[in-house]
Amino acid sequence: MKKLLLAAAIVAVTAPLASAGTVERACLKSDRKSASRALCGCIQDVADQTLTRGDQKLVASFFKDPHRAQEIRQSDSRSHETFWKKYKSFGKTAEVYCRRS
């Protein structure tokens, strides 16, 4: 019975994270002091509205490796330039929309 209760508790605690989006999960796993379910969920909401899934995967990678963002920003690739414009817009939107989270 104890094992069943423990398993149920683990599922209850991890279920919200499992249903979270790519950006939200990366945000929650980051070591940033301001990361909270509310803020990371809000950022994910903005990502869902402004970025493709592929873009979101790239954004999520920035939480683990911030230098990757710098590499993308400085890249000569046209696709990286296009992404960076969307990323800047996403960041500005998230800043305004999620300010209160």
Side-chain angles (χ1 to χ4, degrees):
M1 183 69 172
K2 286 184 180 181
K3 287 182 181 179
L4 184 58
L5 288 174
L6 179 59
I10 290 170
V11 168
V13 169
T14 60
L17 186 57
S19 65
T22 305
V23 174
E24 182 177 5
R25 282 192 307 274
C27 177
L28 289 169
K29 289 180 183 179
S30 74
D31 61 355
R32 289 163 176 83
K33 290 181 183 181
S34 61
S36 67
R37 286 199 186 277
L39 178 59
C40 295
C42 181
I43 292 169
Q44 180 65 55
D45 290 343
V46 175
D48 288 339
Q49 298 299 316
T50 61
L51 302 171
T52 66
R53 284 183 188 221
D55 291 341
Q56 289 183 35
K57 284 183 180 183
L58 188 53
V59 169
S61 75
F62 298 165
F63 284 93
K64 195 171 196 172
D65 181 10
H67 182 66
R68 179 79 175 125
Q70 186 69 5
E71 293 172 343
I72 298 296
R73 187 183 72 80
Q74 292 179 330
S75 170
D76 290 334
S77 164
R78 183 164 279 179
S79 64
H80 286 165
E81 182 180 345
T82 300
F83 165 80
W84 195 256
K85 288 177 182 177
K86 287 193 290 184
Y87 178 67
K88 284 176 44 178
S89 178
F90 155 74
K92 288 177 185 177
T93 303
E95 184 178 359
V96 170
Y97 186 70
C98 302
R99 185 165 293 186
R100 297 181 186 159
S101 296

